[in-house]
Amino acid sequence: MQLHKSVQVLQITEVLYFPYRNRFPSMNFEAEILAAPHDNSELYVVPSMRSLTAEEYVEAFKSFLDHSTEHQCMDEFNKEEMPRIMAGLGNGKSMINVLGVGSGTGEQDLKMIRILQAAHPGVLINNEIVEPNPQHVAAYKELVNQAPDLQGVSFIWHQLTSSEYEQQVKEKCINKKFDFIHMIQMLYRVEDIPNTIKFFHSCLDHQGKLLIIILSDSSGWASLWKKYRHCLPSTDSGHYITSDGITAVLRRLGIQYRVHEFPSGWDITECFVEGHPAGGQMMDFLTGTKNFLGTAPPALRRHLQEALCQPECSSKKDGRVIFCNNLSMIVVES
């Protein structure tokens, strides 16, 4: 499907933040979201509604990628900002240590590794990966095996969740430091966001950088979650979190960071076409619910579809409905 080109135009908003240690907002972001006033109290979860399984989520996510510019958005960030970030790493060392947390199948990881290679020609790169899904690990390894341009890069996979990796590091008293750590669209699935960020930040070497990519508060997701989170099935350790929640954690920890906002869009037009298979899968991904259109109460379906058309969620162009999927790239200092 052809997306409207306007969602691929680069617009960067950069915010530099130096934390004040005495002004910390509440860290209970989910409680704040759930307590937010709303006018849809007549809507509710019914027993027939259930959350997506891990396998169903992967399938819905593939459909999302096919119809969105999320990866193009990350490519713009890689082009505009990553060369400068990578150039500042390593501090003249002969080896640069990288850690990917929740790296999936590795496509985005290898793009960043190649930028790092270009910024530091001849320098060895040790790339470690924390990824619990065995299928993703296998696909990542195959991608590496097929790549002819990764000489000087070593790979170590840890088939663990981020919390399991943290536990292993602490139990074995491992004191390895990394020059660059990235956590791309994965903090929604960790059990303890503040302590996860605190731990991986402690793994940074001097002048290292931690990159967190998360949905922006300007995205349609933020509006949707604030209004309808309580109407949808709960997920396993899932957090409805956007960039403001992450920067609140960083302020509380007294850590310096810089935020880069990049636009991204998702063509959800088929959500409004009765009986369209792709539209049904889109609604499943939007709500985290299996067969949402077939199991949700009619009033909830109607309210949600109406909300998706509102300006805070989507824009319209040439008859297409483009959901706002803006991303925040948060670069955290060591």
Side-chain angles (χ1 to χ4, degrees):
M1 180 179 299
Q2 180 67 38
L3 289 178
H4 189 265
K5 292 182 180 178
S6 64
V7 300
Q8 298 187 37
V9 176
L10 176 63
Q11 299 172 344
I12 306 173
T13 302
E14 183 176 292
V15 179
L16 180 63
Y17 181 76
F18 293 92
Y20 292 88
R21 295 175 181 268
N22 296 323
R23 299 173 62 185
F24 300 149
S26 167
M27 290 177 62
N28 192 355
F29 8 85
E30 287 188 82
E32 291 173 358
I33 288 175
L34 294 178
H38 51 78
D39 57 2
N40 52 354
S41 56
E42 78 280 7
L43 306 178
Y44 52 90
V45 181
V46 297
S48 60
M49 297 172 66
R50 67 165 177 84
S51 60
L52 296 172
T53 65
E55 293 77 14
E56 290 164 347
Y57 175 85
V58 168
E59 287 304 310
F61 183 64
K62 288 178 182 176
S63 176
F64 160 75
L65 290 179
D66 288 341
H67 296 86
S68 79
T69 61
E70 174 149 318
H71 280 180
Q72 294 93 317
C73 170
M74 293 182 187
D75 288 344
E76 290 290 350
F77 173 71
N78 286 340
K79 176 183 175 182
E80 298 295 325
E81 300 295 336
M82 284 299 286
R84 178 181 56 80
I85 294 169
M86 293 301 197
L89 300 178
N91 198 25
K93 296 189 298 186
S94 60
M95 175 177 284
I96 294 177
N97 292 304
V98 178
L99 179 64
V101 186
S103 289
T105 54
E107 288 89 349
Q108 294 302 315
D109 286 34
L110 296 188
K111 290 176 183 179
M112 291 187 288
I113 289 294
R114 291 182 174 104
I115 296 170
L116 184 58
Q117 284 180 304
H120 301 273
V123 174
L124 298 177
I125 298 170
N126 172 58
N127 186 41
E128 299 195 25
I129 301 100
V130 176
E131 170 55 52
N133 187 308
Q135 287 79 25
H136 288 172
V137 170
Y140 195 147
K141 290 180 178 179
E142 181 61 24
L143 203 61
V144 170
N145 290 335
Q146 294 176 357
D149 58 344
L150 296 174
Q151 298 87 356
V153 184
S154 61
F155 292 84
I156 300 174
W157 282 269
H158 306 275
Q159 192 177 306
L160 302 166
T161 65
S162 59
S163 59
E164 289 169 345
Y165 175 81
E166 177 180 351
Q167 182 180 359
Q168 183 181 91
V169 167
K170 291 178 177 178
E171 287 177 351
K172 296 183 177 180
C173 299
I174 300 170
N175 193 34
K176 184 167 185 177
K177 299 295 183 181
F178 295 89
D179 301 290
F180 182 58
I181 300 173
H182 55 85
M183 311 172 80
I184 300 176
Q185 292 281 54
M186 56 75 63
L187 282 171
Y188 315 103
R189 309 302 297 177
V190 304
E191 293 183 4
D192 188 335
I193 290 175
N195 280 328
T196 296
I197 293 175
K198 182 179 180 181
F199 168 73
F200 284 104
H201 182 262
S202 74
C203 295
L204 287 175
D205 206 348
H206 180 61
Q207 296 184 349
K209 298 285 190 293
L210 167 64
L211 171 64
I212 298 172
I213 298 183
I214 198 88
L215 284 164
S216 169
D217 253 65
S218 69
S219 71
W221 296 99
S223 173
L224 204 63
W225 288 341
K226 286 176 183 176
K227 292 181 180 178
Y228 293 98
R229 163 66 184 91
H230 71 289
C231 304
L232 303 172
S234 59
T235 60
D236 52 332
S237 300
H239 297 276
Y240 293 82
I241 185 69
T242 51
S243 55
D244 277 6
I246 302 304
T247 55
V249 171
L250 295 171
R251 288 196 297 272
R252 183 180 179 92
L253 294 172
I255 298 172
Q256 297 180 13
Y257 62 87
R258 188 185 300 266
V259 181
H260 305 271
E261 295 277 337
F262 279 74
S264 173
W266 177 21
D267 190 331
I268 60 169
T269 307
E270 278 66 34
C271 284
F272 310 98
V273 180
E274 187 72 26
H276 198 292
Q281 199 165 40
M282 289 176 184
M283 290 299 295
D284 289 359
F285 188 72
L286 276 161
T287 61
T289 303
K290 177 62 177 176
N291 189 22
F292 174 81
L293 293 177
T295 61
L300 177 56
R301 296 200 304 269
R302 184 178 68 254
H303 278 258
L304 202 63
Q305 288 180 320
E306 289 173 355
L308 288 172
C309 292
Q310 298 305 308
E312 59 264 31
C313 282
S314 302
S315 60
K316 295 181 181 180
K317 187 67 176 181
D318 297 334
R320 309 299 296 179
V321 181
I322 309 298
F323 185 78
C324 181
N325 188 60
N326 294 353
L327 299 180
S328 292
M329 284 66 167
I330 306 172
V331 181
V332 183
E333 305 293 331
S334 60

